[in-house]
């Protein structure tokens, strides 16, 4: 087993009292798998990913990567966030090389590795460009190249396409599936976008809100040709209805209505 999360519990203590963000989370991601967790805002998705990345510590429970307990961040877990996290003063290649530099990889080797992954994400021509010269989609490609460059055992992604427009998002989803296939990377991605989760993953964990628990695990069996037309497949619609129903039972729909302004 690759990634294993056992009886994970996370409680935050704030001035307004304590809040249980995650309760009794059990999940696993096998080598080479692409797994998504889908849940409404506040269901603890980012908290879960931060715990797996070792950026925060669980209140109870454990996280294992290849049977070794996670106690902090490490190069075995690559992370891609929703917001753009490139260093603005470094060019694209330097950004991709940064993690390798921290690991003490020699310059020559770093250069080769960065060049290779920039080619994988289709940005070889932009090695010397600064992040401000790139579009949102291109920045996320660089972030993916940077995460892949350290050759992590697992790629952790927190709503990586959340800030992109619909068309760019679709292109990036296709692109990510191609990368997953060509590099055999293990991916765990979290999103609130039900279609995205079904389109990308082989398995989905549906999360409930406040506290975040795993409501259901679904196996997704769809033709994997990485083309958006699979979204029009009747089986795709059935999966979507099923996940939406699970989220709705949990108040997902009513919450989004509640968030609308009262005065119209
Ligand atoms: N550092 C923190 N201190 C206190 N409470 C926190 C902290 N981080 C998260 N929370 C709370 O934990 C709950 C889950 O937050 P989290 O950010 O994990 O949700 P999410 O599913 O990622 O939401 P979104 O879809 O909006 O990104 C929320 O109620 C949030 O207010
Ligand atoms: Mg979040």
């Amino acid at each position: 087993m690759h990634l294993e999360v056992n009886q994970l519990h996370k409680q935050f203590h704030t001035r307004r009292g304590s809040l249980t963000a995650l309760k009794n989370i059990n999940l696993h991601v096998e080598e080479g798998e692409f797994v998504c967790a889908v849940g409404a805002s506040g269901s603890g998705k980012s908290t879960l990913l931060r715990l797996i990345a070792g950026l925060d510590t669980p209140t109870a429970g454990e996280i294992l990567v290849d049977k070794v307990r996670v106690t902090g961040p490490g190069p075995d877990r690559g992370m891609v966030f929703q917001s753009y996290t490139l260093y603005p003063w470094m060019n694209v290649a330097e950004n991709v090389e940064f993690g390798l530099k921290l690991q003490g990889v020699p310059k020559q080797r770093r250069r080769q590795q960065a060049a290779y992954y920039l080619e994988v994400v289709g940005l070889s021509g932009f090695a010397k460009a600064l992040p401000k010269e790139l579009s949102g989609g291109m920045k996320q490609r660089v972030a993916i190249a940077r995460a892949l460059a350290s050759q992590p055992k697992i790629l952790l992604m927190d709503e990586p396409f959340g800030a992109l427009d619909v068309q760019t998002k679709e292109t990036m989803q296709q692109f990510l599936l191609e990368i997953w296939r060509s590099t055999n990377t293990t991916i765990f991605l979290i999103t609130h976008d039900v279609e995205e989760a079904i389109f990308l993953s082989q398995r989905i964990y549906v999360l409930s809100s406040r506290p975040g628990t795993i409501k259901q695990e679904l196996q997704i069996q769809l033709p994997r040709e990485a083309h958006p037309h699979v979204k029009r497949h009747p089986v795709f619609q059935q999966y979507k209805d099923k996940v939406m129903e699970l989220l709705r039972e949990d108040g997902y729909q009513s919450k989004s209505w509640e968030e609308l302004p009262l005065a119209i």
Side-chain angles (χ1 to χ4, degrees):
M1 193 169 290
H2 211 63
L3 169 72
E4 206 181 315
V5 173
N6 295 323
Q7 303 290 334
L8 193 72
H9 197 86
K10 180 67 183 175
Q11 198 147 15
F12 288 111
H13 299 284
T14 65
R15 268 179 293 167
R16 279 168 287 126
S18 69
L19 178 144
T20 305
L22 294 171
K23 192 177 158 186
N24 200 21
I25 302 285
N26 292 294
L27 61 85
H28 63 102
V29 181
E30 302 302 322
E31 184 147 9
E33 243 192 327
F34 196 145
V35 176
C36 283
V38 64
S41 182
S43 57
K45 300 184 299 296
S46 296
T47 304
L48 175 61
L49 223 63
R50 285 176 52 80
L51 290 172
I52 297 172
L55 299 171
D56 201 350
T57 49
T59 307
E62 60 173 10
I63 297 158
L64 305 171
V65 176
D66 279 344
K67 309 270 181 216
V68 178
R69 196 173 177 146
V70 167
T71 53
D76 55 345
R77 283 148 292 142
M79 184 91 176
V80 178
F81 300 89
Q82 172 178 354
S83 54
Y84 309 130
T85 51
L86 304 178
Y87 297 110
W89 62 90
M90 290 184 192
N91 70 30
V92 163
E94 287 162 347
N95 264 287
V96 175
E97 279 180 43
F98 187 70
L100 300 171
K101 196 172 175 179
L102 288 183
Q103 288 169 48
V105 176
K107 202 170 180 177
Q108 184 67 13
R109 178 102 191 90
R110 268 184 355 234
R111 289 264 153 86
Q112 283 170 353
Q113 202 106 324
Y116 175 79
Y117 283 99
L118 277 178
E119 181 151 358
V120 169
V121 301
L123 288 177
S124 291
F126 291 85
K128 296 269 185 282
L130 286 171
K132 67 176 181 196
E133 299 169 85
L134 307 178
S135 70
M138 288 159 91
K139 282 183 205 165
Q140 282 310 65
R141 282 178 195 237
V142 178
I144 292 169
R146 180 176 60 183
L148 289 174
S150 301
Q151 295 177 301
K153 288 181 178 168
I154 186 163
L155 190 58
L156 304 169
M157 309 183 90
D158 186 351
E159 310 222 29
F161 311 136
L164 304 175
D165 63 77
V166 178
Q167 264 162 323
T168 310
K169 187 177 192 172
E170 198 151 80
T171 312
M172 289 297 288
Q173 289 168 348
Q174 268 177 276
F175 161 76
L176 185 61
L177 275 182
E178 280 155 21
I179 296 244
W180 171 62
R181 251 187 233 120
S182 62
T183 59
N184 295 316
T185 310
T186 307
I187 303 181
F188 183 53
L189 180 148
I190 57 168
T191 180
H192 65 266
D193 183 331
V194 177
E195 281 200 357
E196 177 166 274
I198 301 168
F199 180 66
L200 292 175
S201 58
Q202 300 175 298
R203 263 188 319 119
I204 293 183
Y205 289 102
V206 181
L207 301 178
S208 69
S209 291
R210 298 192 177 91
T213 60
I214 289 176
K215 192 145 194 197
Q216 195 154 333
E217 179 186 342
L218 288 173
Q219 203 82 34
I220 306 293
Q221 266 146 2
L222 281 167
R224 288 275 151 223
E225 73 257 45
H227 194 280
H229 71 215
V230 77
K231 292 181 183 173
R232 294 197 294 272
H233 200 286
V235 178
F236 190 98
Q237 278 304 321
Q238 283 168 16
Y239 283 127
K240 192 176 164 189
D241 291 345
K242 172 78 184 160
V243 176
M244 291 302 289
E245 195 184 302
L246 287 164
L247 293 171
R248 215 172 280 132
E249 278 171 18
D250 195 50
Y252 182 77
Q253 201 74 341
S254 58
K255 244 178 232 130
S256 50
W257 280 104
E258 275 166 22
E259 280 162 14
L260 289 174
L262 283 176
I264 295 176

